[in-house]
Amino acid sequence: MPEKLNIPIRPRRNRKTPAIRGLVRETTLSPSDLIYPLFIHEDVLDVPIESMPGCHRWSLNGLIEEVGRAYAVGVRAIVFFPKIEETLKTPHGEECFNPDGLVPRAIRRVKEAYPDVAVITDVALDPYNSDGHDGIVEKDENGELKILNDETVAILCQQALCHADAGADVVSPSDMMDGRIGAIREALDAAGHEEISILSYAVKYASAYYGPFRGALDSAPKAGDKKTYQMDPANSSEALREVDLDIAEGADMVMVKPAGPYLDVISLVRDSVDVPVAAYQVSGEYLMIKSAAKDGWIDEEKVAMESLLGIKRAGASMILTYFAKDVAERLG
Ligand code: PBG
């Protein structure tokens, strides 16, 4: 018989049964924490997205059915990403505020069918912009690309108004232009939309993890990159400056994006602000889990759940994730 060690403090006692583990659990995940991003297009067919297995570009009818399936397992918040026809793309992306455009029609359809689903919309020009940037592009005398800030903000305000008029609950600017939160707040209030919330993508990094998403929407920049507006992945103090500004300008909630590789930033932001923090588990994070699981290297369900729990533990109150419906179903 090995001798008993004298260890009065044994942390394993708190892990000895599922019931005890349940009592001491610090973080929980629930379907009400999740926001389900959905791709839509102008077509009657639902088309699987090659770069994002398990995701589709939905027709409007398909969208309503998918929202219904997510609703049935407890998901109550969605965000749209439209794939816009090439012929409608222009340098200023005016299609983004067409009241009969794809997004406003999708908002109305979802609100009609599921009035209690929170409809969040992405505010940025990239799906509509013939240059594939989130803002208006100008070439300077040396041929260098410039993304025009203030001119872009004026259009984003019209886009946000268009979404609010169609019935969106929350508008979510993902463009990273300076001053857009204040300008959008003012435009919404002036139009009587003071109840519409703003979820700001305050801390959005210039990340290579967005690759599969740009493939899904054909929205990759035609030239240059997004580094003059999205943040440098090396920085975290700058994240605090961005959230402080956005909150001062009226953001109701702030987002960190991507999520998994930036858990330290989520935690830092959580500790320094008093508004809810969202995190976006982006397409590349999703695809890495999906592809490793496809070959049987990892267990998709368990890894997806653990990745989301980690994001929640870091300090996010809500998570945008392509796993929303599947995870909600399992949590059920
Ligand atoms: C664009 C936008 C992007 C994503 C959401 N909104 C791409 C980008 O900034 O290039 C990425 C989401 C993802 O990768 O899942 N405004």
Side-chain angles (χ1 to χ4, degrees), residues 81 122 124 126 134 174 201 204 209-210 213-214 226 230 257 280 282-284 322:
F81 293 103
D122 198 75
D126 52 320
D134 293 26
S174 70
Y201 286 68
K204 178 170 177 181
Y209 285 85
Y210 308 148
F213 173 98
R214 294 179 188 168
K226 300 193 176 185
Q230 299 180 348
K257 172 184 177 183
Y280 197 146
V282 301
S283 55
Y322 303 100

Side-chain angles (χ1 to χ4, degrees), residues 215-295:
L217 296 183
D218 284 337
S219 64
K222 301 278 188 316
D225 55 40
K226 300 193 176 185
K227 291 180 186 168
T228 66
Y229 46 108
Q230 299 180 348
M231 276 179 51
D232 182 341
N235 296 355
S236 60
S237 303
E238 194 181 355
L240 297 182
R241 188 170 191 228
E242 286 285 357
V243 291
D244 285 349
L245 274 170
D246 283 4
I247 293 169
E249 290 177 31
D252 299 286
M253 314 166 199
V254 292
M255 191 194 301
V256 175
K257 172 184 177 183
Y262 297 88
L263 295 180
D264 58 322
V265 179
I266 296 174
S267 162
L268 186 70
V269 169
R270 167 66 290 152
D271 289 344
S272 76
V273 304
D274 53 11
V275 299
V277 177
Y280 197 146
Q281 182 181 55
V282 301
S283 55
E285 298 176 71
Y286 171 81
L287 186 63
M288 289 194 308
I289 297 176
K290 276 281 180 186
S291 19
K294 183 172 131 270
D295 292 331

